[in-house]
Amino acid sequence: QVQLVESGGGLVQPGGSLRLSCAASGSIFNIYAMGWYRQAPGKQRELVASISNGARTNYQDSVKGRFTISRDNAKNTVYLQMNSLKPDDTAVYYCNVQGYVFSGRVESWGQGTQVIVSS
């Protein structure tokens, strides 16, 4: 019913930047929340940033001032601009989308994109 396609991960040196994208397609509509989570080896998945359909944003403290989440409602796409990257940002990043399909509410996850911050 809902497909999420992520892109933009990769290897970057400390202090560098990456931009992640996640496009939702299928029968989803009225997407009320979009977000990015990450999971480092041996750690639990954690929220990085989220954005509502009213463009209200929320960030994990460790990324405030460095990461910016945004969305393009016309394209059902969420972005995560990551600047001043640190080795601790190394993780698999997953997008999360919450909205509706005709049968009711739905929550979908992307397949994950690897981000490695290393010199």
Side-chain angles (χ1 to χ4, degrees):
Q1 286 182 317
V2 182
Q3 296 81 41
L4 300 181
V5 177
E6 300 178 14
S7 61
L11 172 65
V12 64
Q13 292 187 341
S17 298
L18 284 174
R19 188 189 194 212
L20 306 182
S21 299
C22 174
S25 62
S27 57
I28 193 169
F29 60 95
N30 193 17
I31 298 174
Y32 56 85
M34 308 182 88
W36 289 95
Y37 289 71
R38 66 186 179 187
Q39 187 167 17
K43 295 187 177 181
Q44 290 187 333
R45 189 173 298 189
E46 60 182 7
L47 175 67
V48 177
S50 64
I51 185 168
S52 70
N53 56 1
R56 179 173 297 179
T57 58
N58 178 51
Y59 294 94
Q60 180 190 111
D61 285 346
S62 68
V63 308
K64 286 181 180 178
R66 300 188 298 121
F67 291 10
T68 302
I69 190 169
S70 61
R71 61 189 284 176
D72 184 334
N73 292 329
K75 297 180 179 179
N76 282 348
T77 299
V78 61
Y79 305 95
L80 186 68
Q81 178 66 44
M82 305 185 293
N83 299 329
S84 302
L85 282 160
K86 305 175 181 180
D88 284 349
D89 296 318
T90 295
V92 178
Y93 284 69
Y94 299 89
C95 75
N96 174 274
V97 171
Q98 299 175 50
Y100 290 88
V101 294
F102 286 109
S103 57
R105 293 174 64 176
V106 66
E107 180 177 19
S108 294
W109 291 88
Q111 78 281 5
T113 184
Q114 178 75 59
V115 171
I116 299 174
V117 184
S118 175
S119 55

